[in-house]
Amino acid sequence: MKKMATSCYQWFLWIATILLIAVVSQGQLTTDFYDSTCPQAATIVKQKVDEIVDADKGMAAGLMRLHFHDCFVRGCDGSVLLNSTNTTIAEKEALINNGSLRGFEHIDDIKMELECACPGVVSCADILTMVARDSTVKLGGLSWPVFLGRIDGSSSLADEVNSSLPFRTYNFSQLVATFAKVGLDTKDMIVLSGGHSIGQLHCGAFFERLWDFQGQNITDPSMDPDFAESLKAQCPRDNPLLFKGADSTNATFDAVYYSDLLTHKGLMDSDVALMSDPLGVEYAIKAVQDPYSFLLEFGMAMIKMGNIPASDPYGWRKNCAVIEPCSN
């Protein structure tokens, strides 16, 4: 059975990859982009990700999240990695990002390894893409082809973040509209939301649902009562800055996220919002009944997201945190 599933997976990836090549190649991204200039790039990245996640499983979600937050603002250009300057406040310091994004130091370490092996070749944006895939695989997700050849951006502006990223309070329509702005459809949104199956959240991300639903000093009545009581023990009213694990499967990337939604154990408003629309409910049921299909479709959605073009491509940065392109 396992051999059959693997065969089906390979067949699915082959077909999906052929269909996606026409789209991705328009941006001149290819799976063999570094084959001649830095053939060891993928191996270096994977080895580093394995080390990082072995030391801290929670970091897998952080590394994946960097790719999401990068691509939704100015396209997939590594701009989320840039530091603020004397004249600009960078994306990483925007309210929605500051204190919640992590893993920057690991990207710097990976970049340093790549610079030692292949100076001035691998872009920061491509590192984020490879790291997101390898982090997912490390926690049990399925692999997918990573298309490479992105050019790093030259700007990173905190003001652009709030108008680009989905907020935790968004309803279904707002989520659909936010994803549509970057070329992703409703199914992509529902599938990519499954990335919340791993990681941690500040208790403040769902504080209102737990303690002050709609300003009424009550718990959201749609939340499973036993689950709510468990959350309250982990997230007391007087300490919203504590962390709560987002996953219930011991840091495994899987479809249990959708099972939790169907059983009223979602955390953020934007998670619960998926159950307010028939399309979200239908997909959640499908994912629970066939978890393998979710893992496959997540990879395909990640390929599509990774193809969001950079709005201001600049060059290959030697240091991912500053504007200092490598001389090629």
Side-chain angles (χ1 to χ4, degrees):
M1 181 68 74
K2 184 175 181 181
K3 184 176 180 180
M4 182 181 296
T6 301
S7 177
C8 289
Y9 166 55
Q10 292 172 337
W11 176 85
F12 179 91
L13 273 185
W14 182 80
I15 294 296
T17 301
I18 293 298
L19 294 174
L20 282 167
I21 281 175
V23 176
V24 179
S25 62
Q26 292 178 11
Q28 298 180 333
L29 302 181
T30 66
T31 57
D32 61 355
F33 188 82
Y34 295 115
D35 280 8
S36 61
T37 56
C38 192
Q40 65 270 54
T43 299
I44 291 172
V45 172
K46 183 182 182 304
Q47 288 176 345
K48 292 295 292 183
V49 169
D50 285 348
E51 292 174 8
I52 293 164
V53 179
D54 281 338
D56 177 6
K57 283 187 169 57
M59 188 54 68
L63 295 173
M64 183 198 299
R65 194 161 178 247
L66 284 176
H67 185 42
F68 277 85
H69 283 235
D70 182 47
C71 291
F72 269 77
V73 185
R74 306 181 72 84
C76 305
D77 66 348
S79 58
V80 73
L81 302 172
L82 284 169
N83 290 336
S84 296
T85 68
N86 292 332
T87 57
T88 62
I89 300 176
E91 293 170 28
K92 63 171 66 172
E93 294 191 41
L95 182 62
I96 195 173
N97 286 338
N98 194 16
S100 66
L101 287 185
R102 60 194 193 121
F104 296 106
E105 72 280 10
H106 295 306
I107 300 300
D108 289 340
D109 288 344
I110 293 170
K111 177 65 169 174
M112 187 180 301
E113 291 269 349
L114 289 167
E115 285 299 311
C116 289
C118 318
V121 174
V122 182
S123 70
C124 301
D126 276 345
I127 292 173
L128 288 178
T129 309
M130 289 187 279
V131 163
R133 188 268 311 275
D134 294 340
S135 297
T136 305
V137 173
K138 183 65 175 174
L139 292 190
L142 295 177
S143 187
W144 61 84
V146 171
F147 291 83
L148 302 167
R150 292 165 190 80
I151 301 175
D152 295 327
S154 62
S155 300
S156 182
L157 302 173
D159 289 344
E160 296 181 349
V161 173
N162 288 348
S163 61
S164 303
L165 286 172
F167 276 72
R168 62 180 176 84
T169 56
Y170 274 6
N171 60 34
F172 192 87
S173 297
Q174 290 171 315
L175 290 170
V176 170
T178 301
F179 277 68
K181 285 194 298 184
V182 293
L184 300 175
D185 59 30
T186 301
K187 183 177 180 182
D188 295 324
M189 181 274 289
I190 297 170
V191 173
L192 290 172
S193 294
H196 293 167
S197 78
I198 56 173
Q200 292 182 321
L201 284 174
H202 279 294
C203 292
F206 49 90
F207 179 86
E208 292 84 0
R209 295 193 66 223
L210 199 58
W211 292 107
D212 194 23
F213 181 65
Q214 296 182 348
Q216 300 179 50
N217 200 33
I218 62 172
T219 301
D220 184 344
S222 71
M223 185 180 287
D224 177 87
D226 292 335
F227 181 62
E229 289 305 310
S230 172
L231 287 180
K232 288 179 179 179
Q234 300 173 70
C235 299
R237 184 192 290 269
D238 60 353
N239 198 344
L241 296 182
L242 291 177
F243 281 99
K244 160 70 176 76
D247 63 282
S248 58
T249 53
N250 193 28
T252 301
F253 188 82
D254 52 32
V256 172
Y257 166 79
Y258 297 100
S259 176
D260 287 343
L261 293 183
L262 290 168
T263 54
H264 309 289
K265 296 175 184 175
L267 292 176
M268 296 186 295
D269 289 314
S270 57
D271 293 322
V272 178
L274 299 188
M275 298 296 94
S276 69
D277 188 275
L279 290 175
V281 175
E282 179 183 354
Y283 188 82
I285 293 172
K286 173 190 172 185
V288 171
Q289 293 176 341
D290 185 6
Y292 204 80
S293 68
F294 159 65
L295 298 179
L296 290 171
E297 291 173 338
F298 185 82
M300 295 303 104
M302 288 292 280
I303 292 175
K304 189 173 177 182
M305 185 188 76
N307 192 42
I308 299 173
S311 62
D312 184 26
Y314 179 63
W316 280 263
R317 298 200 301 267
K318 184 178 182 64
N319 183 334
C320 291
V322 299
I323 300 300
E324 183 187 347
C326 297
S327 55
N328 290 349

